[in-house]
């Protein structure tokens, strides 16, 4: 008998391979069951699993649509060769980036240094890499202790390792009610139950952590305090202090995702306020280049060994070349230069979004590469995603970020980083015109 997870995995592979694209409608569940030789109840579980992974979105009576393909290979971080404009993946690239990075690599091409850089690496990295990572993560006057730094092959691997170390299978992990979609897939794979925690205009509500912990012990909390994905919220210092106090009082660890924090200069991270209770996770792919994969973890002494064991057992060791390159780029000033350029670019992209979408209800921090769009009636997120896909534009529905059974906002997230400015401007103009029309109008196109 087929297991619902294996069927869901097969459909997910169809999506990742591009055989099912964004906007494609899946068959009704009864038809799906007949096609795959499974019970109708199993088909229902398959559809729920696909929605939980953020791959589909839909409602009873309206159909189920493919909405994203996490991890699918992109033609380019800029404009794709097939004409599709990708506002789902979000990898910022600035014009001066390649020249700066190329100059820093020259030293590593010496045969003796290249030989060392191509050797296997361990999660503890090298003293030079740990010191470089500490400098790279310095923010708001806080600098992590290099001795507490560990490395993974990517940011996703770093998150996986930390979740595995802090939340054993069958336990509960608190998360913001709208969260990073990849975390949902990680939790599902590790057998961890995600518990949605309320948010407000300042981010995660600390009292929601207390309430959830009383209902059933939380083993940890995953949180994005700086430029939250998808809402672009940044917690003020008072909220960070309150959250740090709650974590300490309850004895809970936080997994602080700081992947977008390089775009803002402050405030200091949660890890600076609850250093014994916070594991900070970051990466280089957004900060430097989508082709450079390296995850960084700053772990308190009490959990550092568990995280290190998790990294090794998962096969998530870093590449030595990435460690050496990061150290060189941090030392020669390439990292700060690229960060400054991306901060300028993010502001320009937000101005562009405001110009095209100013008549609608949207939100986006001027420092971020995201725009959250509350769609006007009669549009619904699922039909808008499908309609945008028919126009060659990929956007992400709120359901991809939603955790639990609470009401899903009627919204989409736009990633502003990947296309060129001119391509982004044209795509935003198309989406604005689309939103001003009625969904029924498209049926006659």
């Amino acid at each position: 008998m087929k297991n619902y997870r294996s069927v869901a995995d097969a459909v997910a592979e169809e999506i990742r391979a591009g055989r099912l694209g964004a906007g494609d409608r899946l068959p009704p569940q009864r038809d799906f069951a007949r096609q795959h030789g499974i019970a109708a109840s199993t088909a229902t579980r398959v559809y729920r699993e696909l929605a939980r992974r953020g791959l589909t979105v839909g409602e009873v009576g309206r159909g189920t649509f493919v909405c994203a393909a996490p991890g699918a290979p992109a033609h380019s971080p800029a404009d794709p060769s097939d004409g599709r404009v990708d506002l789902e993946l979000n990898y910022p690239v600035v014009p001066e980036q390649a020249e700066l990075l190329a100059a820093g690599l020259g030293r590593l091409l010496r045969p003796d240094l290249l030989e060392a850089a191509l050797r296997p690496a361990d999660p503890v990295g090298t003293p030079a890499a740990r010191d470089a990572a500490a400098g790279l993560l310095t923010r708001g006057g806080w600098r992590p202790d290099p001795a507490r730094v560990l490395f993974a092959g990517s940011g996703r691997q770093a998150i996986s390792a930390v979740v595995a170390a802090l939340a054993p299978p069958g336990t509960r992990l608190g998360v913001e009610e709208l969260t990073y979609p990849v975390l949902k897939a990680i939790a599902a794979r590790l057998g961890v139950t995600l518990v949605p925690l309320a948010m407000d205009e300042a981010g995660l509500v600390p009292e929601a952590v207390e309430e959830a912990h009383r209902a059933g012990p939380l083993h940890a909390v995953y949180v994005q305090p700086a430029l939250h994905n998808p809402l672009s919220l940044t917690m003020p210092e008072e909220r960070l202090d309150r959250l740090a106090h709650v974590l300490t009082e309850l004895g809970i660890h936080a997994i602080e995702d700081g992947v977008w924090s390089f775009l803002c200069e402050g405030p200091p991270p949660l890890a600076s306020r609850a250093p014994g209770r916070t594991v900070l996770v970051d990466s280089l792919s957004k900060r430097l280049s989508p082709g450079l994969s390296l995850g960084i973890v700053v772990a308190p002494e009490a959990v550092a060994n568990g995280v290190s064991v998790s990294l090794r057992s998962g096969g998530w060791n870093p590449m030595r070349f990435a460690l050496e390159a990061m150290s060189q780029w941090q030392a020669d000033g390439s990292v700060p230069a690229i960060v400054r350029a991306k901060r300028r670019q993010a502001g320009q992209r937000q101005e562009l979004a405001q110009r095209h979408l100013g008549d609608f209800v949207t939100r986006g921090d001027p420092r971020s590469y995201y725009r959250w769009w509350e769609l006007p009636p009669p549009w619904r997120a699922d039909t808008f995603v499908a309609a945008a896909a028919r126009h060659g534009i990929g956007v992400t529905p709120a359901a991809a970020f939603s955790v639990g059974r609470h009401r899903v906002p009627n919204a989409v997230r736009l990633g502003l980083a990947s296309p060129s400015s001119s391509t982004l401007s044209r795509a935003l103009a198309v989406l604005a015109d689309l939103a001003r029309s009625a969904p029924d109008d498209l049926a006659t196109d």
Side-chain angles (χ1 to χ4, degrees):
M1 178 178 291
K2 295 181 180 179
N3 180 282
Y4 80 93
R5 285 196 178 91
S6 65
V7 179
D9 289 342
V11 177
E13 181 56 34
E14 292 286 305
I15 295 172
R16 291 189 178 91
R19 292 185 288 272
L20 285 173
D24 287 351
R25 186 196 296 266
L26 297 185
Q29 292 181 18
R30 290 188 179 278
D31 293 346
F32 184 89
R34 283 195 296 269
Q35 292 172 11
H36 291 267
I38 58 178
S41 60
T42 303
T44 298
R45 298 184 73 183
V46 170
Y47 277 46
R48 286 176 180 168
E49 178 68 13
L50 292 171
R52 192 164 64 84
R53 297 183 190 183
L55 296 174
T56 62
V57 63
E59 297 180 5
V60 175
R62 300 182 64 87
T64 298
F65 297 89
V66 174
C67 64
H75 293 280
S76 163
D79 298 333
S81 60
D82 63 359
R84 180 177 183 273
V85 181
D86 193 340
L87 303 187
E88 295 177 289
L89 296 178
N90 213 27
Y91 289 107
V93 174
V94 291
E96 57 266 52
Q97 181 170 311
E99 184 176 350
L100 286 168
L101 297 180
L105 287 177
R107 179 174 176 273
L108 291 181
L109 298 182
R110 279 175 36 192
D112 57 333
L113 296 178
L114 183 60
E115 181 181 4
L118 295 178
R119 293 173 183 168
D122 186 85
V124 299
T126 65
R130 292 195 298 273
D131 190 64
L136 184 141
L137 297 179
T138 296
R139 178 160 56 95
W142 173 82
R143 185 179 192 274
D145 179 357
R148 303 267 63 85
V149 173
L150 296 167
F151 298 99
S154 69
R156 294 183 181 189
Q157 292 178 1
I159 294 172
S160 297
V162 176
V163 171
L166 297 183
T171 60
R172 290 158 40 96
L173 175 66
V175 296
E176 293 140 323
E177 57 190 353
L178 294 172
T179 193
Y180 179 36
V182 170
L183 179 70
K184 297 163 65 175
I186 289 171
R189 188 171 66 250
L190 296 176
V192 174
T193 299
L194 297 184
V195 179
L197 303 173
M199 303 177 68
D200 61 16
E201 291 301 310
L204 176 64
V205 177
E207 290 71 22
V209 178
E210 295 176 307
E211 181 179 351
H213 191 63
R214 285 195 299 268
L218 298 175
H219 269 64
V221 174
Y222 171 90
V223 61
Q224 304 171 78
L227 298 180
H228 171 274
N229 174 18
L231 299 178
S232 297
L233 298 175
T234 295
M235 289 189 184
E237 297 204 46
E238 299 80 6
R239 176 61 60 86
L240 287 168
D241 288 338
R242 173 61 183 155
L243 180 58
H245 175 76
V246 167
L247 293 170
T248 302
E249 287 291 305
L250 298 179
I252 300 174
H253 281 95
I255 304 169
E256 179 178 11
D257 189 338
V259 68
W260 290 107
S261 63
F262 71 93
L263 292 171
C264 54
E265 297 182 355
L270 179 65
S272 70
R273 301 157 197 276
R277 285 288 163 190
T278 307
V279 182
L280 177 65
V281 179
D282 210 315
S283 74
L284 293 189
S285 59
K286 302 291 194 297
R287 188 185 305 257
L288 289 185
S289 170
L292 181 67
S293 181
L294 182 67
I296 306 172
V297 179
V298 181
E301 184 175 2
V303 300
N305 184 64
V307 174
S308 182
V309 169
S310 182
L311 286 166
R312 291 188 179 93
S313 63
W316 296 323
N317 289 3
M319 294 188 296
R320 179 70 174 263
F321 188 86
L323 295 175
E324 298 294 341
M326 175 198 64
S327 301
Q328 178 62 33
W329 288 326
Q330 179 67 10
D332 68 15
S334 296
V335 175
I338 291 173
V339 166
R340 288 193 296 270
K342 290 187 177 181
R343 288 175 176 174
R344 289 193 298 271
Q345 185 190 67
Q348 293 164 357
R349 298 292 174 96
Q350 287 290 350
E351 290 175 0
L352 194 61
Q354 180 61 30
R355 190 183 316 151
H356 286 287
L357 305 178
D359 294 339
F360 302 97
V361 180
T362 68
R363 65 185 307 160
D365 189 299
R367 300 167 295 182
S368 84
Y369 280 102
Y370 293 132
R371 198 78 172 191
W372 183 252
W373 187 357
E374 296 180 15
L375 296 169
W379 281 104
R380 301 186 64 84
D382 55 348
T383 52
F384 189 82
V385 169
R390 288 196 290 271
H391 284 74
I393 304 171
V395 300
T396 310
F401 306 93
S402 181
V403 179
R405 298 182 178 276
H406 71 287
R407 186 182 65 84
V408 178
N410 187 41
V412 296
R413 189 209 70 181
L414 308 179
L416 309 178
S418 297
S420 66
S421 292
S422 58
T423 299
L424 176 63
S425 181
R426 289 193 296 272
L428 292 173
V430 169
L431 293 177
D433 288 343
L434 187 62
R436 293 186 185 101
S437 68
D440 291 342
D441 293 345
L442 299 173
T444 61
D445 286 354

